[in-house]
Amino acid sequence: MNDLNYYETDTKKGIRYIKEALKSNATVPLTVTGSSMMPLLKPQRDIVWLEKCDVGQIKKGDILLFERENGKPVLHRVIKIRNDVLIMNGDALSWAEQIKKTQVIACVKNFERNKKMFTCDSKRVMLWDKLWSVTRPVRTIIRKVRSLLTVKKR
């Protein structure tokens, strides 16, 4: 991995920096700032390592950085592919959104937690992805039950 400074951003300037760095095949570290990819990626703790990706090689389960129509950068997982359209979902979310492959900025190949590196295609992370994706239809119910249990404990 290239020796780049950690770069936290949700700004257009930061996205331009990331796009420029990826053009030279750099690997770009980005601190996770949102909570939509919890529990796999936690904000302000985990760092994703972004790499240039071939949109033709994107597969279900990949975590991508993409730019919404409004210019906002988002880090979500591919849950379905339909020709040039990707169906994306944050692990903590019960809804999904469609994007065009042209909106993809980068792929996450690794992430860092507490100075330990994890590879997204490792057996451990892939098992987590499979188990978590199975719960997608019932996550809302799980959250409601969990919040009820939390309220009762108080």
Side-chain angles (χ1 to χ4, degrees), residues 71-137:
K72 181 180 179 186
V74 179
L75 194 68
H76 281 173
R77 185 183 305 279
V78 177
I79 60 170
K80 195 177 273 187
I81 301 171
R82 292 188 194 134
N83 300 321
D84 287 335
V85 174
L86 303 171
I87 312 300
M88 307 297 293
N89 176 245
D91 287 358
L93 304 175
S94 56
W95 54 271
E97 63 185 305
Q98 292 185 25
I99 67 163
K100 298 173 190 147
K101 287 184 178 179
T102 56
Q103 292 173 256
V104 174
I105 298 168
C107 298
V108 176
K109 298 295 183 185
N110 305 295
F111 64 94
E112 186 179 332
R113 173 175 299 148
N114 301 324
K115 304 212 184 287
K116 184 174 179 184
M117 194 66 74
F118 296 88
T119 305
C120 290
D121 60 1
S122 71
K123 287 181 183 178
R124 182 178 178 182
V125 173
M126 289 174 73
L127 176 62
W128 166 258
D129 173 39
K130 296 286 184 222
L131 292 173
W132 188 249
S133 65
V134 170
T135 68
R136 186 170 181 271

Side-chain angles (χ1 to χ4, degrees), residues 2-129:
N2 292 352
D3 187 23
L4 295 173
N5 292 327
Y6 290 139
Y7 198 87
E8 299 175 36
T9 186
D10 62 355
T11 65
K12 289 184 180 194
K13 181 180 178 184
I15 291 301
R16 281 195 306 270
Y17 165 81
I18 291 169
K19 287 178 179 178
E20 285 302 313
L22 292 171
K23 282 181 186 176
S24 65
N25 293 321
T27 301
V28 182
L30 180 71
T31 300
V32 175
T33 57
S35 60
S36 67
M37 285 301 292
M38 284 181 62
L40 180 67
L41 300 173
K42 295 192 179 176
Q44 307 307 323
R45 181 190 74 182
D46 296 337
I47 299 164
V48 293
W49 290 85
L50 303 171
E51 294 181 10
K52 186 177 183 178
C53 61
D54 176 355
V55 293
Q57 299 298 313
I58 292 172
K59 61 189 181 308
K60 183 178 173 183
D62 284 351
I63 300 172
L64 307 176
L65 178 68
F66 64 92
E67 194 169 4
R68 284 190 174 140
E69 301 274 332
N70 65 6
K72 181 180 179 186
V74 179
L75 194 68
H76 281 173
R77 185 183 305 279
V78 177
I79 60 170
K80 195 177 273 187
I81 301 171
R82 292 188 194 134
N83 300 321
D84 287 335
V85 174
L86 303 171
I87 312 300
M88 307 297 293
N89 176 245
D91 287 358
L93 304 175
S94 56
W95 54 271
E97 63 185 305
Q98 292 185 25
I99 67 163
K100 298 173 190 147
K101 287 184 178 179
T102 56
Q103 292 173 256
V104 174
I105 298 168
C107 298
V108 176
K109 298 295 183 185
N110 305 295
F111 64 94
E112 186 179 332
R113 173 175 299 148
N114 301 324
K115 304 212 184 287
K116 184 174 179 184
M117 194 66 74
F118 296 88
T119 305
C120 290
D121 60 1
S122 71
K123 287 181 183 178
R124 182 178 178 182
V125 173
M126 289 174 73
L127 176 62
W128 166 258
D129 173 39

